[in-house]
Amino acid sequence: MREQIEEFSKVENVARKFIEAVRTGNSEIVKPYFYEKASFFGQLNEKEYQSGSIQGFYDTIDKMGSIKEDYIARVDVLNIEKTVAVVRVIEDNWHGYKFTDFLIMNKINGEWKIVAKVYDTLS
């Protein structure tokens, strides 16, 4: 049995906060939606791996700042199983990059929180 449609909307809304933070270059927008011990891992420029605490992601988007008007993003809620959700965010034209992010979420104390961000890029 699939989860209620409201849960899909809640998960999608968290991913949209992620997009808003990336677009504006303001990590404060998305921080409440990340678990405090969240981590990230990904490949930048098809060769350089990055990993660590989510603070590295916050620092990057704050440093890079807001983006141009040609930035576009798409959210796909891939799966929800009780307290676990997987979301794909596809982004084009973030400071010259194309990203595919997978946001892994857990429902913690009744709220969806991103616990891990895994990504890949094309320049």
Side-chain angles (χ1 to χ4, degrees):
M1 183 172 117
R2 75 166 166 80
E3 289 300 314
Q4 296 295 320
I5 195 104
E6 293 85 10
E7 293 303 308
F8 284 83
S9 294
K10 289 175 185 176
V11 166
E12 180 181 358
N13 287 338
V14 171
R16 295 212 176 278
K17 289 293 183 182
F18 172 87
I19 291 169
E20 181 182 351
V22 168
R23 187 183 72 249
T24 62
N26 182 358
S27 68
E28 293 300 319
I29 293 168
V30 76
K31 281 182 182 179
Y33 301 95
F34 272 94
Y35 179 64
E36 62 191 32
K37 295 180 182 178
S39 61
F40 77 101
F41 185 87
Q43 188 171 355
L44 186 66
N45 293 326
E46 301 175 10
K47 60 181 179 263
E48 177 186 347
Y49 287 95
Q50 300 177 326
S51 65
S53 82
I54 205 60
Q55 185 62 49
F57 166 70
Y58 300 151
D59 293 346
T60 299
I61 63 172
D62 291 339
K63 176 183 159 190
M64 297 298 288
S66 64
I67 51 169
K68 298 178 182 177
E69 293 178 16
D70 61 350
Y71 169 81
I72 57 172
R74 172 190 168 111
V75 172
D76 296 312
V77 178
L78 301 178
N79 199 14
I80 298 177
E81 295 292 334
K82 295 183 183 179
T83 62
V84 177
V86 179
V87 177
R88 177 178 56 202
V89 178
I90 300 171
E91 303 168 271
D92 283 354
N93 300 319
W94 186 80
H95 299 288
Y97 290 98
K98 295 181 179 189
F99 275 88
T100 300
D101 290 291
F102 289 93
L103 305 177
I104 312 304
M105 298 184 199
N106 277 116
K107 195 171 192 181
I108 302 169
N109 298 322
E111 293 184 22
W112 288 104
K113 297 283 186 176
I114 303 166
V115 297
K117 170 186 160 10
V118 181
Y119 68 92
D120 200 353
T121 61
L122 298 169
S123 57

